Amino acid sequence: MPSAPPPLTPLRLLTGLARPHAGRLALGSLLFLFAGGASMSGLWIVGRIIDEGFIARDAGAFALWLGLMALAVTVQPTFWVLGFRLFNTADAAGQRAIVRRLTDHLNTAGTGVRGRVSAGELVNLPSEDMRKAAHTVTELGFVANNLAMFLIGSALVWSIHPLLGVIIIAGSGATALVAGPLLKRLQRRQADYRDMIGGLTAQAADIVGGLRVLRGIGGDLLFTDRYREQSTALRDRGYAVANSSSWIHALRHSMPIVFVAVITWVGALLAVDGALTIGGLASAFSFATIFIAVSGNFIISANYLVASWVAAGRLTRFLAIATDVDDDGTLRGGIGELRDPDSGLVVPESGLTVLVTAETAPAAEACERLARHRDSEAVWDGRPLESYALADVRERIMLLTDEDHLFEATLGETLRVGPDAALAAIETACAADVYTGLGGTFDGRVAEGGRNLSGGQRQRLRLARALAAAPQTLLAVEPTSAVDSHTESLIADRVSAARASLSTLVVTASPLWLAHADRVVWMVEGKVHATGSHAELLADPAYRRLASPREFMARKLRQGGETA
Amino acid sequence: MSATDLHERLPIASPAQVRRAFRGLLAADKGPAVQVLIMYTLAAGFSVAIPVLLGRVVDGIGAGWGAHEVNLTCAVILACVAVQFVLSRSGRRAGYRFGERAAARLREDVVARVLGLPLDRVEQAGRGDLGTRTSADVNTVADLLRDNGPSMVTSLIEVVVLYIALFVVDPLLGLVSLLTLPPLLLASRRYLRQANRVFTEQRAAMSEAAETLSASGSGARTVAALAMQEERRAIGHARAETLFERFKRLIRLQVEFFFFLLWLNRLQLVLVVVAAGFWYLEGGMSLGTAIAAITVVVRIANPTNSVMTQLSEFQQGAAALARIAGVGLIEPETRDAVPDGNDLVLDTVTFGYGDGPDVLHGLSLHPRQGERLVVVGPSGAGKSTIARLLAGIDRPRTGTATLGGVPVSDIPVEELRRRVVLVTQEHYVFTATLRENLILAAPDADDARLVAALRRVDAGWAVATGLDTMLGPEHRQLTTAEAQQIALARVVIADPPIVILDEATAGIDPASAGNVEVALAAALEGRTVIAIAHQLQAAASADRIAVVEDGRIAEEGPHAALLAAGGVYAGLWHAWQGD
C-alpha cells in the first residue's frame, strides 16, 4: 500500500492550488511591484515638475520630467492590468481545480457524504466557498501591490523630508491601530447580522415553499406577522451595525485626511524655513492623499483573507469525509443466494420474491445491507458480501427505491442502454407516457430530479432504468406506490415475465404483485416472520389483514358502516 | 397530473417600472434621504477645502508669509477635517439606517405580495423563481441599499464636488480636466453593456456547478448503484471548465476596462499638469492655484474608480429589483362572491392548462353534502384537475364550478378556505414549532384540541415529541408519512364542511395508510369528503365512486352497484384483487 498522504489542512489546500501557478504568481507579484513603484514615482515627479519646471521656470526640465511622468502613467496601468490578469487567471484555474476536486471526491466518498453535509452546504461548497478559497491568490497579489506602494511611497516621502516620512509611517500605523479593534467589533456584529439575514431568508423561502398551504388552509397572517417581526429585529440589528460601520468608514476616510492636514501644516512650516521645496510640499500632500486608498486596502484585504481561510477550512473538512462503504473485497463472479443475517431475509438465485411488511423502513434497510449500501454481515453465495469486489457487487446486485435520483440528462442517457434495450425497459415499466411526453425520442431531456415529470412518471422511469441495467438481483422497495392499480397490475405482470431467469425482490403489500410472486416473505418489525406462497400465508389472520384485499376492504366497509 | 411542466413565468418589471419602484423606495423616506444627501455633500465640501487651502498656503509662502499665517491657515484646515469627520460619520450612519429601513420595507412588501398572489399563480410559479425573488434578489437589493449604495453615493458626490472645486480654483483647468470625461463615460457604457451579461453568465456557471455537485451528492447512492462515476466526473469537470472559461472572459473584459480607467485617470493628471505649467510659465496663473488644481486632480482618481467599479453592482441590483417589482405586476384577483350554503357542483366543465388541449371534456360532478365521494381512474385522466376546479384554484373554460350557487373561483380566499380545504400529495412542513405548523387555520386553538387532532390522524409520535418541538430540515426532519399526518391534522383542526383529498395518503405505509384513512373518515364524519385516488383501497368504503377516464366520468355509483354493472370499475377491482 502506498504511504498515506499527510492530512489535508486549509494551508495545504491553498498552497496546493497555488503551486501549479508559481511562475505566474511570481511574475504577477513583480508586475504589481513595478506598478506600485510607477504609481508612487508619478507623484514624486509632480513635485520635481513644480520645483524644477514651474518655480525654476526651466522649460527643458519641465519637458524632461513631464516625459518621465508620461512614461510612468503609461507603465503603471499596463503593469497593473498584466499583473491583475496573471493573478486572476490563477484564481480562475483555482476555481476549476476546486470544482474538479469536489467532483472527484463525491465519486470516491459516495454515500459517505450523506448526513455529513446539509443540502445548503452542498450548494455553498462548490459556489461561495469555492470562490472565496480560490480568491486567496488574487487577494495576496493586491496585498503585494499595496505593500509595494506603501514601502516605495514611504521611502520617497522620506527622501523629500525625513520628518514627513516619519509622520506618514506613523500615520498609517495609527490608522491600523485605531481601525483594527473597531473592525473586529464590526465583524462580530456583522456575523450576527449575517446569521439573522440567513434566518430571515430561510423564513421567506419557507413561506414561498408552503404558500399553497398558507393560502389553502390559512396561517398567512400568522406567517406575515412572524416575518415582519423578524424583519424589524433585523433592521434594528442593522442599526447597531450602522453605528460601528459608520465610525469605521468615517475613520478610514478621515484619518488619512488628518495626516494630509498634519503634513500640510508641518510641510508648510518647513517650507517657510526653506527646509522643504514647494514641489516637495505638493508631492507630500499628494502621497498622503493616495495613502487613503492604501491603508484602506490593507483592511479590506485582511477581511477577504479571513473569509478565504474560513472557506478553505470548510472545503478541507468536506474533502476529509471518507466513504462509508469500504472496497477491500477481491472476490469476483458472485452468484447465488443472498442472505441478511440481521433480518433473516433470503433472496434466492432467481424468481420473484415479494416481501410483505407493515413497516417499510426496516425492510428497506435490509435491502440496503444486501446491496452493500451499508456494511453488514450479509452473505452472498456462502461468503461474506464484504469479501467481494465492490464493483462486482454493484454490477450484479441493484437496489431500487424512491430515493434514487434522476439526473439532468437525455432520456437515452438516463436509461444507459441502446435504443432497443431502452424501449424494452420502458415497455416493461409501462413508461411509454414518459417517452412520448419527452417528445417521443431518446433525446428528450429529463430535468434535474425529474422535475419535469409527475411523481408516477418518475417512479416508472426509475424502474425502467433499473430494468435496463438488468442486474442479476434487483431489490425494489415499493416500486409502484405512485402508480394506479391498472398500470401496477401490468407492471407486475411484465416485470415477473421479463426477469423470470433473474432474481427480483419487491417490497410491497400490493395484491397485484403478490399474484405473481414465486415466494412471499412476511416481515414483522424488521425480522422475517414467515416464508411461503401467498396462499399458504393467507392462513394467518395477521397476514390476511395486511395483504388480502378482501380482508382489508371488509374491515374498511365495517368501519365505514360504523361511521355512517 | 401533468401540470408540472406548465410553469408560467412570473413577470419582470420594465426599466421604467424599476425606476418607479426605486423612486418609491426613496420617496417613502424622503426627509431622511434629503438629510443624508446634504450631509454627504457638506462632508465632501469640507474635505475639498483642504487642497484649496493648500494652494492658499503655497501662494502665501511665495508672498513671504511667516509661521503665524501658516499656523492660522493650517488650523482652519484641521478644523475643516474635524467638521468633515463629524459630518461623514453622521452622514454614513444616517445613510445606513436609511438603507436598513428601505431594505426592510422592500422585503416585507414582497413577502406580503407573495402571500396575496392569486391561487392559480401560486400553483404555477416554479418554486425556484418565486423563491429566488424573495431571497437572493431581495438580499442583492438590500445589500445595495444599505452598503454599496451609500458608499457609491458618497463617492459620486465627492467626484462632483471635486470637479466643482476645480472649476472654482480655475475654470480653464476645470475644462481641461473634463477632456478625459467623455472617453471615460463611453468606455464605462461599453463595459456595462457587456459586464452585465458576463457577470450573469459567470454566476450561472457557478450555480450550474453547484447544482451538478449537489445532485451528485444527493444522488450519491444512485451514482454508486449504477456505477455512474465516470459520467458524473465528466459532467463535473465540464462544469469546472465552463466556470474557468467564463471567468477568463470576465478577466478579459475587466483588463480592458481597468486599463482604460487607470490610464485615463493618469492622463487627466498629466493634462492638468501640462496646462497648469503652461499657464503658470506664461504668467497667467499663481503657483498656489496650479498646485491646488493638481492636488485636487490627484484626489479625483480614487472616488472615480470606486464609482466605476461599483456600477456593475448597481446594474445587478437593478436586475434584481426588476424581478422583485415583477411580483407586484401580477393582477390581484377580484373575488367578491358570497356563497349561499355549501353545495359544490361541477356542471359540464371543460378545462385545459395554458393554451393546451382540453383535459376535461364537459364533465359534471355533484358531491352531495355529507357524502364521501371517491374519484378513481388511471394517471393522467384529469382527477387532480377536478380537485383544482372544486377548490377554486382554476376556472373552467366552459361550464361552471359553483359553491353555494356562485363560482368557486369568485369566492374570497379567506371565505373559501373556511368552507373547502384541498390536501394534496405535497405536504409542506414549515420550519417552525409543531404547534405553529398545526394552528394555521385556527390561531386560537388550545393544546388539547391540537393533541386530539394529532391522535385522530394516528400521529402518536407527534404527541410524544411535544407541541414545542421545532420541525424542519435543521431540526426534526419528518418522513413523508409523518408530514402527511401533519397535513391531515391541519385539516382536522380547520374543520371545514368540505374536504378534498388528492392522493393525500399516497406516501404512507400500506398498513398505516389504512389506519389514517379510517381515522380521518371518523374525524371528518358529517363532512363532505371528495377523495381522489389512483389505487382502489379507498374506494370500497365510499358512499359513491366516480370513475374518470380521459377527462370524462365513465361510471358513477356505489361500490356494489359498479361491481354488479361489470364495467370499467369492476375490471379494475378484479385486477386489483388478483382474481
Side-chain angles (χ1 to χ4, degrees):
Chain A
M1 242 180 99
S3 67
L8 191 66
T9 62
L11 186 64
R12 280 214 184 85
L13 178 73
L14 293 176
T15 47
L17 287 174
R19 197 168 299 121
H21 309 285
R24 194 173 266 153
L25 296 176
L27 183 60
S29 305
L30 209 60
L31 285 166
F32 267 175
L33 197 75
F34 283 136
S39 152
M40 290 294 116
S41 329
L43 296 178
W44 183 76
I45 292 172
V46 170
R48 309 271 29 95
I49 289 177
I50 291 171
D51 281 343
E52 295 173 26
F54 291 17
I55 298 175
R57 297 197 166 273
D58 179 345
F62 183 35
L64 173 73
W65 285 114
L66 203 61
L68 282 175
M69 186 172 173
L71 183 70
V73 305
T74 320
V75 163
Q76 194 271 340
T78 314
F79 281 16
W80 192 86
V81 294
L82 286 177
F84 176 85
R85 173 180 227 144
L86 287 168
F87 276 107
N88 272 283
T89 308
D91 193 328
Q95 292 198 351
R96 179 173 60 184
I98 294 174
V99 172
R100 282 181 180 168
R101 191 150 175 184
L102 290 172
T103 303
D104 295 347
H105 183 68
L106 274 170
N107 271 340
T108 41
T111 48
V113 303
R114 289 199 313 177
R116 304 283 295 275
V117 278
S118 73
E121 276 176 279
L122 214 45
V123 171
N124 272 332
L125 285 166
S127 50
E128 280 308 298
D129 289 334
M130 171 278 287
R131 192 177 60 76
K132 286 179 185 153
H135 186 67
T136 314
V137 284
T138 309
E139 210 48 57
L140 286 175
F142 288 154
V143 170
N145 181 230
N146 285 316
L147 201 63
M149 281 169 58
F150 179 72
L151 293 176
I152 296 170
S154 303
L156 286 172
V157 176
W158 192 283
S159 81
I160 293 169
H161 197 282
L163 185 56
L164 298 181
V166 168
I167 293 175
I168 263 198
I169 294 168
S172 302
T175 310
L177 275 182
V178 174
L182 270 174
L183 196 67
K184 262 203 193 115
R185 199 167 108 197
L186 176 64
Q187 276 172 338
R188 259 202 316 279
R189 287 197 177 170
Q190 264 175 344
D192 291 354
Y193 183 69
R194 289 274 147 204
D195 283 351
M196 280 182 81
I197 291 183
L200 198 63
T201 307
Q203 243 187 57
D206 213 21
I207 288 174
V208 171
L211 197 50
R212 197 197 289 242
V213 176
L214 292 175
R215 296 286 274 154
I217 201 162
D220 31 12
L221 287 179
L222 192 76
F223 275 73
T224 319
D225 286 349
R226 225 166 65 121
Y227 184 81
R228 193 157 282 157
E229 212 172 276
Q230 280 292 311
S231 167
T232 308
L234 175 67
R235 189 199 65 196
D236 293 341
R237 182 63 59 91
Y239 283 171
V241 175
N243 269 339
S244 314
S245 58
S246 58
W247 276 116
I248 289 185
H249 281 281
L251 273 175
R252 246 189 67 196
H253 209 72
S254 299
M255 286 281 281
I257 299 180
V258 171
F259 289 103
V260 173
V262 171
I263 281 187
T264 313
W265 199 331
V266 174
L269 289 175
L270 289 172
V272 167
D273 289 345
L276 183 68
T277 63
I278 295 296
L281 176 62
S283 280
F285 184 91
S286 305
F287 275 119
T289 307
I290 292 302
F291 271 48
I292 296 171
V294 176
S295 54
N297 288 347
F298 278 125
I299 296 172
I300 295 174
S301 291
N303 269 346
Y304 273 119
L305 288 173
V306 168
S308 299
W309 185 260
V310 173
R314 272 196 290 268
L315 288 168
T316 309
R317 275 194 297 284
F318 177 75
L319 291 170
I321 297 173
T323 172
D324 58 343
V325 181
D326 289 328
D327 186 11
D328 299 333
T330 49
L331 289 177
R332 293 198 159 266
I335 198 158
E337 172 185 282
L338 267 172
R339 193 159 57 78
D340 172 43
D342 271 19
S343 61
L345 176 61
V346 174
V347 182
E349 203 181 320
S350 66
L352 175 64
T353 307
V354 173
L355 194 163
V356 175
T357 178
E359 312 92 9
T360 312
E365 279 166 28
C367 291
E368 286 184 5
R369 288 193 291 271
L370 289 177
R372 259 216 86 188
H373 284 295
R374 47 173 81 200
D375 288 331
S376 73
E377 310 285 305
V379 175
W380 193 15
D381 200 12
R383 296 199 193 88
L385 187 57
E386 290 182 8
S387 61
Y388 288 88
L390 194 56
D392 202 52
V393 175
R394 293 275 180 262
E395 197 187 319
R396 289 160 193 268
I397 305 170
M398 183 174 291
L399 175 66
L400 169 69
T401 75
D402 273 351
E403 266 183 65
D404 288 354
H405 196 79
L406 287 169
F407 293 97
E408 204 270 311
T410 66
L411 182 59
E413 287 161 355
T414 303
L415 292 168
R416 307 163 56 74
V417 287
D420 293 344
L423 274 179
I426 285 176
E427 173 76 14
T428 312
C430 289
D433 60 325
V434 178
Y435 179 73
T436 49
L438 295 176
T441 150
F442 284 113
D443 295 329
R445 291 209 79 84
V446 177
E448 182 59 45
R451 277 191 301 245
N452 57 342
L453 303 173
S454 74
Q457 287 179 323
R458 283 198 287 269
Q459 195 173 51
R460 282 172 287 128
L461 181 58
R462 283 193 292 260
L463 174 63
R465 178 172 68 179
L467 292 171
Q472 174 67 39
T473 303
L474 176 64
L475 311 168
V477 181
E478 297 282 0
T480 48
S481 59
V483 176
D484 64 86
S485 303
H486 178 68
T487 314
E488 184 175 27
S489 161
L490 281 176
I491 292 175
D493 193 24
R494 291 176 187 173
V495 169
S496 58
R499 293 186 53 84
S501 62
L502 303 166
S503 173
T504 312
L505 173 87
V506 176
V507 179
T508 179
S510 164
L512 300 171
W513 279 100
L514 285 162
H516 295 277
D518 297 314
R519 188 167 158 277
V520 177
V521 177
W522 176 22
M523 195 182 257
V524 177
E525 284 168 5
K527 305 281 176 204
V528 171
H529 184 72
T531 306
S533 73
H534 184 43
E536 286 162 15
L537 291 174
L538 277 173
D540 190 314
Y543 178 83
R544 265 209 309 276
R545 265 199 297 283
L546 194 60
S548 149
R550 262 177 247 278
E551 280 289 326
F552 190 56
M553 281 309 133
R555 185 166 57 107
K556 290 201 118 178
L557 285 170
R558 257 199 322 278
Q559 294 268 2
E562 278 162 20
T563 52
Chain B
M1 164 75 237
S2 53
T4 38
D5 48 351
L6 286 161
H7 298 307
E8 195 174 308
R9 288 252 140 216
L10 295 167
I12 292 176
S14 70
Q17 287 163 328
V18 171
R19 280 194 292 275
R20 204 171 311 138
F22 188 69
R23 274 201 301 275
L25 279 176
L26 294 183
D29 213 1
K30 207 189 278 168
V34 171
Q35 266 178 28
V36 168
L37 288 180
I38 290 174
M39 279 195 276
Y40 283 175
T41 312
L42 285 177
F46 276 98
S47 85
V48 165
I50 304 167
V52 176
L53 287 170
L54 174 75
R56 187 65 64 76
V57 171
V58 166
D59 281 343
I61 293 172
W65 275 11
H68 176 67
E69 287 93 340
V70 167
N71 284 343
L72 212 63
T73 317
C74 289
V76 174
I77 293 184
L78 264 188
C80 285
V81 172
V83 174
Q84 184 277 145
F85 177 72
V86 171
L87 281 170
S88 148
R89 198 261 157 171
S90 30
R92 284 273 181 166
R93 182 162 172 275
Y96 291 145
R97 290 173 71 98
F98 170 82
E100 282 298 334
R101 279 192 299 277
R105 245 190 341 265
L106 180 81
R107 63 185 173 238
E108 286 165 22
D109 199 44
V110 72
V111 164
R113 268 191 245 157
V114 163
L115 280 166
L117 282 178
L119 289 183
D120 58 335
R121 284 297 193 153
V122 172
E123 299 283 321
Q124 279 170 5
R127 258 179 208 165
D129 192 16
L130 202 56
T132 315
R133 288 173 193 228
T134 48
S135 55
D137 286 340
V138 163
N139 286 343
T140 304
V141 178
D143 276 346
L144 196 69
L145 284 170
R146 65 185 161 224
D147 217 16
N148 296 328
S151 69
M152 163 124 168
V153 172
T154 344
S155 302
L156 196 64
I157 288 179
E158 205 181 333
V159 170
V160 172
V161 170
L162 281 166
Y163 274 108
I164 292 173
L166 194 54
F167 270 90
V168 170
V169 168
D170 189 273
L172 278 174
L173 287 181
L175 283 176
V176 171
S177 77
L178 287 184
L179 283 177
T180 52
L181 212 53
L184 184 67
L185 292 179
L186 281 177
S188 54
R189 225 176 88 157
R190 203 175 100 88
Y191 169 71
L192 279 182
R193 266 202 204 129
Q194 298 177 39
N196 197 28
R197 187 175 46 83
V198 175
F199 273 117
T200 311
E201 277 177 6
Q202 200 206 8
R203 267 207 312 275
M206 205 179 287
S207 54
E208 270 170 18
E211 186 163 344
T212 302
L213 266 81
S214 62
S216 292
S218 46
R221 200 173 69 194
T222 310
V223 173
L226 291 157
M228 296 172 79
Q229 285 86 351
E230 259 320 299
E231 287 156 60
R232 296 314 295 169
R233 183 172 186 278
I235 297 175
H237 284 222
R239 294 275 188 257
E241 201 57 41
T242 312
L243 198 62
F244 181 63
E245 289 305 324
R246 299 262 167 94
F247 198 160
K248 283 215 316 208
R249 198 176 301 165
L250 178 64
I251 296 172
R252 273 198 293 278
L253 185 69
Q254 285 186 327
V255 158
E256 198 181 298
F257 177 61
F258 289 165
F259 176 80
F260 212 58
L261 186 63
L262 289 174
W263 188 72
L264 281 174
N265 278 336
R266 274 135 185 97
L267 182 67
Q268 185 182 39
L269 181 60
V270 171
L271 289 176
V272 170
V273 167
V274 169
F278 184 73
W279 282 316
Y280 173 75
L281 293 177
E282 289 287 296
M285 182 183 285
S286 78
L287 184 62
T289 306
I291 289 181
I294 291 171
T295 44
V296 166
V297 172
V298 168
R299 285 231 1 223
I300 289 181
N302 270 330
T304 307
N305 292 353
S306 88
V307 169
M308 291 297 164
T309 46
Q310 284 184 75
L311 279 178
S312 60
E313 278 165 48
F314 260 74
Q315 215 177 13
Q316 287 162 38
L321 189 57
R323 286 189 294 267
I324 295 170
V327 179
L329 295 177
I330 299 168
E331 292 276 323
E333 288 175 303
T334 40
R335 286 172 168 256
D336 48 14
V338 183
D340 174 23
N342 290 321
D343 201 26
L344 192 57
V345 186
L346 289 186
D347 187 11
T348 50
V349 293
T350 60
F351 181 78
Y353 292 98
D355 301 326
D358 283 353
V359 186
L360 300 181
H361 313 278
L363 178 143
S364 296
L365 193 65
H366 184 187
R368 286 186 277 275
Q369 291 193 40
E371 173 187 55
R372 183 175 160 81
L373 172 69
V374 173
V375 179
V376 295
S379 316
K383 302 187 300 286
S384 293
T385 309
I386 295 176
R388 288 163 63 102
L389 290 179
L390 287 172
I393 294 168
D394 294 312
R395 280 161 206 274
R397 281 180 177 165
T398 64
T400 55
T402 55
L403 173 66
V406 297
V408 195
S409 47
D410 284 347
I411 302 171
V413 173
E414 292 70 21
E415 177 60 35
L416 180 59
R417 69 189 176 208
R418 271 197 287 277
R419 294 164 186 263
V420 183
V421 166
L422 166 70
V423 187
T424 66
Q425 262 181 64
E426 269 182 62
H427 311 287
Y428 195 82
V429 178
F430 294 97
T431 307
T433 60
L434 175 58
R435 183 183 289 104
E436 285 169 318
N437 261 291
L438 292 173
I439 58 168
L440 299 176
D444 308 324
D446 59 14
D447 288 4
R449 188 167 152 204
L450 304 185
V451 168
L454 287 171
R455 292 205 194 282
R456 278 289 197 189
V457 295
D458 217 22
W461 60 268
V463 177
T465 188
L467 290 168
D468 291 312
T469 310
M470 278 295 287
L471 305 182
E474 279 159 36
H475 307 280
R476 190 186 190 290
Q477 186 141 25
L478 302 188
T479 64
T480 314
E482 288 169 340
Q484 228 146 9
Q485 289 173 331
I486 297 294
L488 296 174
R490 280 179 194 143
V491 181
V492 174
I493 293 163
D495 197 24
I498 302 166
V499 178
I500 305 166
L501 304 170
D502 185 2
E503 310 274 11
T505 55
I508 306 187
D509 279 355
S512 25
N515 293 341
V516 170
E517 274 170 28
V518 170
L520 193 65
L524 298 174
E525 189 198 330
R527 312 286 177 273
T528 310
V529 178
I530 301 138
I532 312 266
H534 61 237
Q535 293 193 324
L536 298 184
Q537 270 106 325
S541 62
D543 297 323
R544 196 154 56 106
I545 298 158
V547 184
V548 182
E549 273 193 331
D550 281 334
R552 292 181 180 85
I553 304 280
E555 284 180 323
E556 211 175 331
H559 177 69
L562 289 180
L563 274 192
V568 189
Y569 181 77
L572 283 173
W573 179 255
H574 291 303
W576 190 68
Q577 292 223 316
D579 290 352

